[in-house]
Amino acid sequence: MMPFAKVCVPVPAAAAGMVELYINKGSRMIVRRDGAGNDWATLRASPRKVLEWFATSGFAPSGKREALAQFEPCARRLAGLDHLKTEVRPALAVPKFWQIEGAAYGFDAGPHLPYWLAKNGASFVPLLVPAEQMAHFSERLVA
């Protein structure tokens, strides 16, 4: 059994016309600092809705409320992802997002990859979200 599940995202601007991402199948259950656990589910988000979401919501690294801010794309990080346009790279991790409350969200690995995928014509943007929040994310991010 492979420890990872691969997700191929069609991206016309990317080398080979797609970007490969992975989901660690061995870490479906993540225990938070408060002792609660989350089962994660994969969401296939609409690129248009992802861009709207980034423009209208607040994001906090690791869910730290004191760091909550609107997403400001970093040109250096986006330029670093542009290598996906010219070369096929090893699979990248699908990022995790969760709702803290209202329009405030936590994330684990940064929002730049989903933002880059949305800006570069991906047919969908994969995100890992807590299974119990799937209805919220589906309503907000699925076409």
Side-chain angles (χ1 to χ4, degrees):
M1 180 171 124
M2 288 188 56
F4 300 101
K6 290 188 178 179
V7 178
C8 292
V9 181
V11 182
M18 64 103 187
V19 173
E20 194 171 72
L21 299 119
Y22 70 87
I23 300 165
N24 184 342
K25 292 193 292 189
S27 62
R28 283 279 191 225
M29 177 65 109
I30 304 295
V31 177
R32 299 189 313 242
R33 284 186 226 149
D34 63 5
N38 278 332
D39 283 322
W40 297 92
T42 306
L43 178 77
R44 292 172 67 118
S46 157
R48 178 184 57 81
K49 290 195 172 199
V50 165
L51 294 174
E52 291 171 3
W53 181 51
F54 282 137
T56 60
S57 300
F59 296 90
S62 300
K64 296 177 182 171
R65 293 175 195 264
E66 64 276 7
L68 188 69
Q70 186 139 11
F71 175 61
E72 294 288 334
C74 171
R76 184 181 56 77
R77 287 188 181 159
L78 293 174
L81 288 168
D82 278 342
H83 74 278
L84 296 171
K85 292 180 180 178
T86 58
E87 57 187 283
V88 176
R89 303 287 295 174
L92 302 168
V94 173
K96 293 177 181 146
F97 287 86
W98 59 94
Q99 182 185 33
I100 298 170
E101 64 184 2
Y105 297 89
F107 62 87
D108 70 335
H112 286 85
L113 177 59
Y115 182 84
W116 186 92
L117 290 169
K119 289 294 266 187
N120 283 279
S123 61
F124 66 92
V125 177
L127 303 173
L128 285 177
V129 300
E132 72 272 8
Q133 294 180 359
M134 184 60 115
H136 166 79
F137 280 95
S138 293
E139 180 181 312
R140 184 97 197 231
L141 298 175
V142 178

